[in-house]
């Protein structure tokens, strides 16, 4: 019987790409990219308990979106870690899905990374972050950055992760219009792109005006193609643009979730209430970036 003390919990925070520049398509089919990823206090929660088999139980507001997916990243992460260390993948995992599925904020990748952290503890493994990132890379391009959940530059196909300098605290609003967008389809429809290497990473980003000025010179290259596939993304961005106190609005990852940065917490809260009221079918969450 599992006692309460045997249960290990892990938080899988949403990952937001403040900008995302896409370079050339490589021989492995992936694109080179450059991005600045940050993590917020909104996310999924996972619980791990000892079990003779590997099992996954789902609950939470977005559990239904996942049940349709046969190839769940959580199970793949458990199997990848077990294979890496040469032991059976045995654990009872519960995922409470609070983030919208296939939404550009790394929900599945954050869950997979949380599995690596959770099972490292459950199985009493002694693995470094570097080793966990190596396993993470086999699961998906966005999983390595979610291992430590620190603000980081992403390069390569996303797997080359370098922690960024401390970013300023800024209120953020996340908005998802309730449609799942396929990352593969968005990359396939890619049009104009900045390429990699145009960003000056030595720029100081320690104050809100510095960060906003830096981000305004960058973009999310996946935004136009995602918007073409899901025109509602344009509607979300228009709505964010007209919120009082907004400093920057943009899509994250391959969408459809968009974010806005605000100059004060009250403006972000007011925007959260306003958009939740006018679009009750949208997922709207006020949060903050920076440590
Ligand atoms: O690595 P992940 O499974 O998240 O990627 C999903 C799809 O997105 C890939 O199969 C590929 O088509 C596309 N992709 C890409 N370049 C990247 C990351 C993803 O072309 N750097």
């Amino acid at each position: 019987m599992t006692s309460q003390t045997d249960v290990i919990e892990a938080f899988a925070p949403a990952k937001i790409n403040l900008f995302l520049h896409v370079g050339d398509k490589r021989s492995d089919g992936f694109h080179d990219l450059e991005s600045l990823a940050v993590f917020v206090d909104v996310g999924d929660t996972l619980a791990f308990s000892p079990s003779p088999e590997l099992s996954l139980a789902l609950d939470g507001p977005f559990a239904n979106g996942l049940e349709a997916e046969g190839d769940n990243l959580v199970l793949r992460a458990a199997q990848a870690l077990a294979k890496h260390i040469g032991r059976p993948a045995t654990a009872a995992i519960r995922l409470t899905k609070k983030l919208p599925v296939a939404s550009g904020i790394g929900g599945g990748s954050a869950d997979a990374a949380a599995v690596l952290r959770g099972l490292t503890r459950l199985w009493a493994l002694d693995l470094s972050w570097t080793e966990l990132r190596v396993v993470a890379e086999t699961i998906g391009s966005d999983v390595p950055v979610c291992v430590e959940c620190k603000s980081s530059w992403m390069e390569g196909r996303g797997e080359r992760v370098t922690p960024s300098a401390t970013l300023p605290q800024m209120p953020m609003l996340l908005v998802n219009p309730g449609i799942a967008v396929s990352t593969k389809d968005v990359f396939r429809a890619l049009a104009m792109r900045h390429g990699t290497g145009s960003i000056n990473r030595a720029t100081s980003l320690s104050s809100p005006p510095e960060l906003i000025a830096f981000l305004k010179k960058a973009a999310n290259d996946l935004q136009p193609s995602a918007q073409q596939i899901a025109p509602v993304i344009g509607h979300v961005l228009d709505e964010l643009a007209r919120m009082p106190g907004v400093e920057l609005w943009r899509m994250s990852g391959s969408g459809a979730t968009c974010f806005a940065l605000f100059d004060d917490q009250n403006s972000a809260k007011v925007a959260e209430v306003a958009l939740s009221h006018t679009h009750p079918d949208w997922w709207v969450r006020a949060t903050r970036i920076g440590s």
Side-chain angles (χ1 to χ4, degrees), residues 111-190:
D111 295 342
V115 168
L116 300 182
R117 292 193 304 273
L119 291 183
T120 296
R121 286 168 56 206
L122 187 74
W123 296 342
L125 307 176
D126 184 17
L127 295 174
S128 65
W129 291 125
T130 308
E131 202 168 350
L132 282 184
R133 277 195 291 270
V134 169
V135 181
E137 193 183 327
T138 66
I139 306 161
S141 308
D142 272 355
V143 185
V145 76
C146 297
V147 165
E148 273 194 89
C149 306
K150 284 186 176 161
S151 304
S152 300
W153 302 100
M154 297 168 69
E155 292 171 280
R157 59 178 258 240
E159 87 289 4
R160 261 174 36 222
V161 173
T162 317
S164 73
T166 307
L167 299 177
Q169 289 202 355
M170 283 193 85
M172 174 182 263
L173 190 69
L174 296 173
V175 179
N176 181 282
I179 42 147
V181 180
S182 150
T183 303
K184 207 184 250 308
D185 292 348
V186 171
F187 270 99
R188 204 177 284 141
L190 195 62

Side-chain angles (χ1 to χ4, degrees), residues 24 31 35 40 59 79 102 111-112 128 143 159 173 178 184 229 247 257 280:
D24 293 332
H31 293 77
S35 181
V40 295
D59 59 22
Q79 275 145 359
D111 295 342
S128 65
V143 185
E159 87 289 4
L173 190 69
K184 207 184 250 308
I229 292 167
E247 293 284 340
T257 307

